[in-house]
Amino acid sequence: MQSEVIFKSIGKVYRIEAKQFLPISLKEAWLFFSNPKNLSLITPPQMKMKVLSGVDRNIYSGQIIQYSVSPLPFFKTTWVTEILNVKELHSFADEQRFGPYVFWHHKHFFKEVNGGVDILDLVDYVPPFGLLGRLVHPFIIKPKLAEIFKFRENVLAAHFASELKHSKV
């Protein structure tokens, strides 16, 4: 399962471009990613993510989801996100309203391809703490985000490989 994570800096805003292929249908990918309860499955356990509200139904534009998360040891925060621009079977975005970043805008794109689906994530973000945040970005923030996307990639690959085995039995 091929994947790729690229970090870029565009002025004050950083960008993550993460691509992953999964050997599943577009509908299966959409059903998984549009269920906000699955967010905790693809978040590293050491982040101690706990959903507080807003996951009672699949995503829709304007949905507010709250959860607590510990991105670093001894640092716990509440993250409030709003779901935006839902285009079923194609894309959606989530934007942090309150949380650890000055700015966080995460777009998810799904494209049916031969043998499965390509998933593209574009995350534009501004670290907290101004100049200090920019200085620690290469040493703390970027590696942490890379770790989160790598964990997600591995969980998705294992989850859908397991589902494919069960469906062939």
Side-chain angles (χ1 to χ4, degrees):
M1 301 201 190
Q2 44 186 286
S3 67
E4 178 180 25
V5 178
I6 300 169
F7 284 83
K8 297 179 178 181
S9 177
I10 308 162
K12 187 175 184 174
V13 179
Y14 292 90
R15 172 170 276 187
I16 302 168
E17 294 180 11
K19 299 175 186 175
Q20 184 171 8
F21 169 82
L22 292 171
I24 60 175
S25 72
L26 177 60
K27 186 173 183 176
E28 285 175 287
W30 182 261
L31 287 173
F32 183 88
F33 283 91
S34 66
N35 182 344
K37 291 178 184 171
N38 288 331
L39 185 57
S40 60
L41 297 175
I42 58 175
T43 301
Q46 64 270 25
M47 292 186 65
K48 300 176 183 144
M49 179 187 199
K50 181 180 175 191
V51 176
L52 303 175
S53 68
V55 296
D56 52 327
R57 55 192 262 204
N58 284 359
I59 61 167
Y60 58 90
S61 291
Q63 183 177 18
I64 301 294
I65 301 170
Q66 295 185 76
Y67 46 94
S68 66
V69 65
S70 183
L72 298 169
F74 310 109
F75 177 67
K76 184 177 176 181
T77 187
T78 299
W79 189 311
V80 179
T81 191
E82 180 178 1
I83 303 298
L84 306 167
N85 306 319
V86 177
K87 295 179 185 164
E88 192 165 343
L89 300 175
H90 181 265
S91 62
F92 69 93
D94 60 84
E95 192 165 276
Q96 174 195 280
R97 293 294 176 232
F98 302 99
Y101 290 88
V102 171
F103 176 76
W104 178 276
H105 184 84
H106 183 175
K107 296 174 283 292
H108 310 255
F109 296 94
F110 305 87
K111 182 180 178 187
E112 194 166 30
V113 294
N114 189 21
V117 63
D118 279 337
I119 300 167
L120 171 64
D121 291 89
L122 297 177
V123 182
D124 294 301
Y125 65 99
V126 175
F129 310 120
L131 180 59
L132 178 60
R134 291 184 70 75
L135 290 173
V136 301
H137 182 266
F139 310 107
I140 297 175
I141 298 170
K142 180 179 174 181
K144 179 53 99 173
L145 291 171
E147 174 190 322
I148 291 167
F149 273 93
K150 185 65 176 169
F151 179 86
R152 180 183 122 162
E153 171 194 333
N154 291 336
V155 166
L156 289 170
H159 177 78
F160 288 111
S162 170
E163 283 201 3
L164 287 171
K165 285 180 194 170
H166 290 329
S167 68
K168 291 180 181 178
V169 174

